[in-house]
Amino acid sequence: MKTHPLYLNGEWVVTETTHAVVNPAKAEPFARMSLIDRSRVAQALNDAHAAFLSWRQITGKARGEFLQKIAAELDRRRDGISRLITMENGKPLAQSLTEIAMAVDHLRWFAEEARRGYGRVIPNQVEGKRHLVIKTPIGVVGAISPWNFPLVLGVRKAASALAAGCTVVLKPARQTPLSSVAFAECVDAVKLPPGVFQIVAGSASEIGQEFLQNPLCRKITFTGSTSVGQILIRGAAECVKPLSLELGGQAPLLVFEDADLEKAVDGAMIAKFRNTGQSCIAANRIYVQRPIYQRFLDLFVAKTKALKIGDGLLVGVQIGPLIDDEAAAKAAQHIEDAVAHGARLLCGGRRLKERKGFFFEPAVVADVPDRGLCMQEETFAPVAPVCAFDTEAEVIQRANASNFGLSAYAFTRDLGRTFRLMESLEAGMIGINDGVPTTSQCPFGGVKQSGWGRELGLEGMDAFLETKHISIGIA
Ligand code: NAP
């Protein structure tokens, strides 16, 4: 079994201490990942700081050219890397390829943005003074990414920070480190200067503490659960460390009686079942206006039953395994709880115990009351709770009754309603007649307990730039 290396200061480092990487479709290890201790992470931050002093000096255009070359390498290696994503994460191969295409596009977007770290000139209020605002890179960035989109979420952070002139130490998730190693191979192939981008792996809490407490690390960018986000917030309070946090979601999806029903069902399918329901922007709870409730359910259940489950490496598979046993147990618990509250299980909902992997049949549960667990917590599985609503005001109130606010979806053809929803839904991203709103050029992030700050868009690079006011006396 191959032991994959870390990428430290331009060198590939294989260590004796390793952990197993499991294929969730087979529930067995297929590779090992090298691990380092906290002192070696501190060394990576030192090296990243040394690299920062030169990386920040080169032009944005030159940094962008490196990012373009990395994008080309990633694109060229997409067949091999997509298999790796599927093997460590479980998602169907077609979705792994889409993830790579998105990562390539992020790199290209930030390659262009690298030239645009604009400041501004402010008219003076007092004679004999001039005022400038300039943007400078924040410094070394500690990045922490989750397992559900193992490549693109790390790339999103790296591309924006590198474009800004920062250097990056990335810690991928324990379950899925290999996509990040494959990305580091692309970085290495284009001869990015040593220390500009590095991969570390080891104890998550120790790496997190080193990022927090080491003064050379100037910012932490984190994607993952709200509970780990809270640990980082508490740690950051001690040393006033800036944080960007992309945390959990619990998206409502609203279908109004004036919607194009076929499109609404297709939108709900993708918003719910993409990545086997393990997406932070997954539709967690579906509300359908009463006059079309039964017709929506009939179409939605028929399409859900038709989804092909299996090992993501096999052609035509649409639903892969969940990441682990715990994820399957949580899905089952959310369904049991809904049924105990009077809901009806219309299809699926069974752990496929006859298979070795962590497979769970996509489920639709109807008439789920708002107090059901799956209406209040992030399910992170292919479980679709559906319930009816009567009025727009009522459904907006129910949609907003959550501590989370990452994304929300609505299907309607009423223009006035579209504007009312845009303005009143409490979410950082709102898909109107659109089940997949994410795109490189638009800000990605949440409100309430879904996080702080934005990735992607103009905001993505700005998150890694300091704003400085320069006042110049010229008299
Ligand atoms: P997680 O348990 O929070 O893990 C995310 C990352 O944090 C992993 O790299 C993990 O390392 C690391 N980590 C764990 N404990 C840590 C600590 N004490 N200090 C520092 N880092 C620590 O989340 P997950 O289960 O992997 O991901 C699912 C969650 O991520 C869901 O809630 C989902 O909504 C959210 N998510 C949000 C977005 C978004 O953009 N808002 C996108 C995707 C996912 P180890 O793997 O080594 O433990």
Side-chain angles (χ1 to χ4, degrees):
M1 202 177 293
K2 180 174 174 185
T3 298
H4 291 254
L6 297 151
Y7 187 58
L8 297 168
N9 205 23
E11 304 283 337
W12 294 106
V13 177
V14 176
T15 60
E16 283 191 2
T17 318
T18 62
H19 78 69
V21 183
V22 170
N23 178 346
K26 297 194 164 32
E28 61 190 27
F30 69 99
R32 300 198 70 80
M33 181 65 197
S34 300
L35 304 175
I36 48 176
D37 64 15
R38 185 168 169 173
S39 65
R40 192 64 189 79
V41 176
Q43 182 60 46
L45 293 172
N46 273 329
D47 294 334
H49 179 67
F52 171 65
L53 300 177
S54 344
W55 181 248
R56 66 173 302 174
Q57 297 296 344
I58 71 169
T59 61
K61 182 167 184 255
R63 289 196 296 268
E65 282 163 1
F66 271 114
L67 293 177
Q68 289 286 9
K69 287 187 202 158
I70 299 170
E73 273 303 317
L74 186 55
D75 195 31
R76 197 172 64 73
R77 298 167 187 229
R78 64 181 177 275
D79 289 340
I81 298 179
S82 59
R83 290 183 69 78
L84 206 54
I85 294 176
T86 293
M87 284 174 73
E88 66 177 0
N89 167 280
K91 71 181 66 181
L93 206 50
Q95 294 183 27
S96 298
L97 283 164
T98 309
E99 182 170 343
I100 294 172
M102 188 185 272
V104 168
D105 197 61
H106 290 350
L107 286 157
R108 292 189 175 139
W109 164 260
F110 285 112
E112 292 160 12
E113 280 301 284
R115 303 172 184 233
R116 301 193 188 111
Y118 300 141
R120 56 193 205 274
V121 178
I122 314 264
N124 51 305
Q125 297 207 55
V126 176
E127 289 297 334
K129 281 196 180 198
R130 295 293 183 269
H131 302 280
L132 306 180
V133 172
I134 64 165
K135 300 270 185 166
T136 56
I138 197 163
V140 175
V141 171
I144 303 176
S145 59
W147 52 262
N148 63 334
F149 288 88
L151 175 77
V152 76
L153 296 179
V155 170
R156 193 173 286 181
K157 296 176 183 315
S160 46
L162 295 175
C166 298
T167 54
V168 176
V169 178
L170 172 66
K171 187 215 111 41
R174 180 175 39 85
Q175 288 111 319
T176 58
L178 307 186
S179 314
S180 299
V181 175
F183 176 65
E185 285 169 0
C186 300
V187 167
D188 190 57
V190 309
K191 302 195 169 19
L192 201 71
V196 170
F197 175 79
Q198 302 177 81
I199 300 274
V200 296
S203 153
S205 59
E206 283 188 18
I207 295 171
Q209 287 309 309
E210 187 60 32
F211 285 176
L212 283 166
Q213 288 167 14
N214 190 320
L216 292 178
C217 178
R218 292 294 167 82
K219 173 150 195 173
I220 298 177
T221 170
F222 169 79
T223 300
S225 59
T226 297
S227 56
V228 173
Q230 287 166 327
I231 293 174
L232 294 174
I233 291 169
R234 280 192 284 273
E238 294 293 314
C239 43
V240 195
K241 180 107 13 173
L243 299 176
S244 284
L245 300 172
E246 294 289 342
L247 308 178
Q250 216 253 339
L253 184 147
L254 284 40
V255 184
F256 289 88
E257 61 179 324
D258 60 72
D260 176 327
L261 191 59
E262 292 274 344
K263 284 198 181 137
V265 171
D266 288 345
M269 290 297 294
I270 193 156
K272 176 68 255 181
F273 295 118
R274 186 172 68 107
N275 215 31
T276 312
Q278 302 170 113
S279 161
C280 54
I281 59 167
N284 209 72
R285 21 185 195 130
I286 300 176
Y287 302 87
V288 184
Q289 207 157 15
R290 206 169 302 276
I292 58 163
Y293 184 59
Q294 192 54 49
R295 276 196 295 144
F296 177 91
L297 280 176
D298 292 344
L299 286 171
F300 190 56
V301 168
K303 290 203 173 191
T304 303
K305 280 182 175 167
L307 288 170
K308 188 170 170 193
I309 311 172
D311 185 332
L313 290 176
L314 302 175
V315 177
V317 163
Q318 295 158 298
I319 296 284
L322 289 170
I323 192 72
D324 55 23
D325 254 329
E326 213 180 306
K330 184 175 184 187
Q333 184 208 6
H334 276 201
I335 293 175
E336 273 166 34
D337 173 84
V339 171
H341 281 95
R344 292 177 292 136
L345 178 61
L346 301 186
C347 67
R350 199 170 59 90
R351 170 80 198 272
L352 299 184
K353 293 225 164 89
E354 61 278 19
R355 299 196 193 204
K356 270 185 86 189
F358 310 118
F359 290 98
F360 194 87
E361 250 178 2
V364 179
V365 200
D367 311 341
V368 185
D370 289 355
R371 64 185 184 283
L373 263 186
C374 57
M375 304 302 271
Q376 293 177 12
E377 288 180 9
E378 189 181 35
T379 307
F380 235 55
V383 176
V386 189
C387 59
F389 72 90
D390 291 300
T391 68
E392 182 184 309
E394 168 212 334
V395 79
I396 289 173
Q397 186 269 324
R398 289 168 72 188
N400 287 342
S402 168
N403 289 331
F404 296 100
L406 189 58
S407 61
Y409 304 87
F411 289 82
T412 176
R413 284 183 286 200
D414 182 317
L415 185 60
R417 171 175 286 149
T418 296
F419 274 81
R420 290 191 294 277
L421 292 169
M422 278 161 44
E423 288 157 14
S424 55
L425 285 175
E426 294 172 354
M429 294 165 284
I430 301 174
I432 304 281
N433 303 320
D434 183 5
V436 202
T438 310
T439 184
S440 300
Q441 67 271 29
C442 297
F444 185 103
V447 303
K448 300 198 274 189
Q449 291 185 13
S450 288
W452 292 349
R454 294 291 180 273
E455 297 190 311
L456 303 181
L458 302 180
E459 293 83 352
M461 192 171 80
D462 207 49
F464 299 104
L465 292 169
E466 297 283 16
T467 300
K468 291 182 186 163
H469 166 214
I470 317 295
S471 181
I472 307 172
I474 58 163

